[in-house]
Amino acid sequence: SENKNISIIFNSCGSENTKSIIGKFLLKRVLESEQVKLISVRDNIENIKKIAGDQIAEKKDVYESDDPAIIVGRAYGVVKKDTNIIGIGIISNLAYVNAHSRNENKYLITEDYLINRWIEIIESLNNLGYECKIFSNGGYHDNAIAYKLKKTININIEVFIPKSPQDLVEEISNYKAIFAHRLHANILAYSLKIPSIGFVWDDKLIEFGTRTKREKFFLNLKEYDTTEIIELFNQAIDEGIDEAHYNMITNNIISDFKVKISKALMETP
């Protein structure tokens, strides 16, 4: 981009802290490039300042903006279906392990603990008359634990593995609600106005819950027993999605896109 004088815009990026000295150096150098005209992050803007310095906000447009995946339902023309199926969005405990150092070990759990908690939740949902279906976002390790859960649980249950992003959106549209660890499973559900209970393994899920005014539905699995989780699930079903706040967020995303595109066009010769 520097050789060809092309403008760069970072659009609603994740902003995770890193302890890597080399990683910080490389990212700081990229962000300070003259070709970078605008930086927006979906969460924790302070991480950018820690990496690139407080002065980065004086040199560039730096601000927080919502994840554009929130409008993916509209982009694909997918709407939620009227069903009685609850999606069980699986994650490998390796995600907890990889994130634990930056989250001070507050979410760290083992694979056996994770599977046993899922079995308790699925059995409770079945007792309430719901059909459950396991799904992953498509990651290799997540897929493996999804099938391990299916093999371990004493219930006949399907597993869905997406082959493309649109596959995942279409699948989630079939659910009445979801339980999920992965941030984008929760985002896609919100895009389709489907309630979700998010299990937090990284603070970015809390950030998303706060931005969508659903923070009480994003929880540390170690701090809630299954009865409490099912109570929150029932509450999420009853409350649904705040339409006014949802419309505000989606309209802001579209407006923000227009600003970024205009800036890129103006800055690129």
Side-chain angles (χ1 to χ4, degrees):
S1 65
E2 290 179 344
N3 291 338
K4 296 186 177 180
N5 197 24
I6 297 173
S7 297
I8 297 173
I9 288 176
F10 287 89
N11 179 39
S12 301
C13 299
S15 168
E16 296 175 353
N17 195 11
T18 176
K19 294 183 178 180
S20 167
I21 295 174
I22 295 175
K24 288 180 179 179
F25 170 77
L26 292 174
L27 184 55
K28 184 176 187 293
R29 190 171 71 175
V30 168
L31 295 178
E32 289 180 341
S33 168
E34 288 294 326
Q35 304 311 121
V36 176
K37 308 302 179 184
L38 183 151
I39 304 164
S40 77
V41 294
R42 68 178 181 223
D43 45 45
N44 206 340
I45 197 169
E46 294 305 314
N47 282 338
I48 296 297
K49 295 178 181 177
K50 287 178 183 176
I51 292 169
D54 290 334
Q55 70 277 6
I56 192 70
E58 300 171 7
K59 300 176 182 178
K60 317 278 185 185
D61 287 337
V62 182
Y63 61 93
E64 288 188 3
S65 60
D66 291 293
D67 195 308
I70 289 174
I71 60 172
V72 75
R74 184 184 303 189
Y76 285 135
V78 177
V79 296
K80 66 177 179 179
K81 318 297 191 306
D82 184 15
T83 76
N84 202 42
I85 305 171
I86 307 301
I88 307 297
I90 295 299
I91 195 173
S92 167
N93 77 300
L94 292 177
Y96 283 82
V97 173
N98 292 335
H100 81 94
S101 61
R102 64 176 179 268
N103 294 309
E104 301 175 345
N105 298 327
K106 57 188 171 183
Y107 307 122
L108 189 60
I109 55 178
T110 66
E111 181 179 290
D112 286 344
Y113 178 87
L114 190 58
I115 287 177
N116 289 334
R117 293 306 305 274
W118 274 123
I119 290 173
E120 291 176 3
I121 291 167
I122 292 170
E123 288 176 343
S124 296
L125 291 168
N126 281 176
N127 290 337
L128 291 173
Y130 292 106
E131 176 186 349
C132 295
K133 188 172 181 181
I134 299 168
F135 74 95
S136 84
N137 281 24
Y140 175 80
H141 294 293
D142 294 358
N143 297 348
I145 200 169
Y147 284 113
K148 185 170 183 177
L149 173 59
K150 175 181 171 63
K151 184 178 179 180
T152 305
I153 194 169
N154 191 28
I155 294 173
N156 186 24
I157 190 168
E158 289 185 55
V159 173
F160 174 82
I161 306 297
K163 295 180 180 178
S164 70
Q166 186 165 355
D167 270 357
L168 183 58
V169 177
E170 293 278 3
E171 179 63 21
I172 290 176
S173 74
N174 294 321
Y175 302 144
K176 185 180 185 69
I178 70 166
F179 292 81
H181 302 261
R182 287 294 181 191
L183 174 62
H184 280 90
N186 285 281
I187 290 176
L188 297 184
Y190 185 77
S191 173
L192 298 164
K193 302 181 184 178
I194 293 170
S196 71
I197 299 293
F199 292 132
V200 178
W201 55 278
D202 190 280
D203 287 342
K204 61 188 177 183
L205 281 96
I206 295 175
E207 294 274 352
F208 176 67
T210 300
R211 293 184 75 88
T212 54
K213 292 188 174 181
R214 302 188 68 257
E215 54 265 41
K216 65 185 174 184
F217 299 118
F218 287 80
L219 51 100
N220 184 341
L221 192 55
K222 295 191 294 186
E223 295 178 354
Y224 291 76
D225 63 31
T226 301
T227 299
E228 292 172 320
I229 290 171
I230 295 302
E231 287 174 357
L232 274 174
F233 161 76
N234 288 327
Q235 189 176 347
I237 292 288
D238 290 341
E239 291 186 13
I241 302 298
D242 184 323
E243 287 278 348
H245 194 66
Y246 175 91
N247 290 335
M248 183 197 74
I249 288 177
T250 54
N251 290 335
N252 285 347
I253 289 171
I254 293 171
S255 297
D256 188 47
F257 265 138
K258 292 177 180 177
V259 169
K260 288 168 179 169
I261 291 169
S262 296
K263 188 171 185 64
L265 292 175
M266 286 190 297
E267 297 283 355
T268 300

